[in-house]
Amino acid sequence: SVAYVTCPPIAIAMNWLGEFINTATTLHPFLMGIIISVVVGIILTLPISSAAICASIGIAGIAGGAALAGCCAQMIGFAVASYRENKWGGVVSQGLGTSMLQMPNIMVHPQIWIPATLASAITGPMATMIFKLECTGVSAGMGTCGLVGQIGTFTDMGFTFDVLWKVVLLHIALPAILTL
């Protein structure tokens, strides 16, 4: 006899949402690149887990690449934007750690979120349409934290010079330039 395990409704809903996002991004890479990048980037900076959300919905492919681009834009954006106040310690703690460190400042001055969010709105569609970067699950929601997102991209796409320059440009250089 075979034992059947029933899926709770929330798991079914999360799976459906992930399939919808992945399919919609393939069909409409520009618009979905913006939406996914901005939403997941904002979630990354909020005190909730963007990595857990990306893993639970099963984000993959270019949708994961857009999510990762948004996360990187938030982390690198806040790191360079706060350099004057925080120096290199802030760059390392926010750029390789978490942009959540900015939440107290965002609560007082929400306008400081605008540059990094606009950077994610630009890098998201670049990830889906121009560079076609891919990332899966937890890695897509990690940004530059411990370089997990970049390692995830190399795992999904291979570690080649072509992928390397795209990752450096889209995950580090462009977010820094666009945010400043």
Side-chain angles (χ1 to χ4, degrees):
S1 84
V2 177
Y4 292 99
V5 178
T6 59
C7 261
I10 192 72
I12 293 169
M14 295 299 276
N15 186 41
W16 178 87
L17 179 61
E19 288 180 21
F20 174 79
I21 290 170
N22 293 334
T23 303
T25 305
T26 302
L27 297 173
H28 304 285
F30 181 76
L31 182 60
M32 288 301 292
I34 294 171
I35 293 169
I36 293 167
S37 183
V38 169
V39 170
V40 177
I42 288 171
I43 289 171
L44 173 98
T45 303
L46 293 172
I48 56 179
S49 177
S50 57
I53 291 170
C54 286
S56 68
I57 65 172
I59 201 163
I62 61 171
L68 179 56
C71 292
C72 293
Q74 292 286 325
M75 295 176 75
I76 298 298
F78 276 119
V80 298
S82 68
Y83 175 78
R84 189 177 315 142
E85 293 83 14
N86 299 318
K87 305 295 182 239
W88 286 106
V91 169
V92 172
S93 63
Q94 293 172 81
L96 290 175
T98 180
S99 58
M100 279 186 227
L101 296 170
Q102 288 293 335
M103 275 313 297
N105 297 328
I106 292 170
M107 297 300 290
V108 176
H109 303 287
Q111 69 272 16
I112 67 170
W113 216 343
I114 295 170
T117 303
L118 288 175
S120 65
I122 294 168
T123 59
M126 291 177 76
T128 58
M129 297 189 66
I130 299 169
F131 299 113
K132 302 203 185 305
L133 290 178
E134 298 181 10
C135 196
T136 304
V138 171
S139 299
M142 290 296 288
T144 55
C145 181
L147 302 177
V148 172
Q150 290 64 47
I151 293 168
T153 300
F154 296 135
T155 300
D156 286 358
M157 298 184 68
F159 188 78
T160 64
F161 180 75
D162 185 52
V163 175
L164 176 64
W165 77 264
K166 290 175 182 178
V167 164
V168 170
L169 181 66
L170 197 66
H171 294 174
I172 299 166
L174 280 176
I177 292 165
L178 291 170
T179 299
L180 290 176

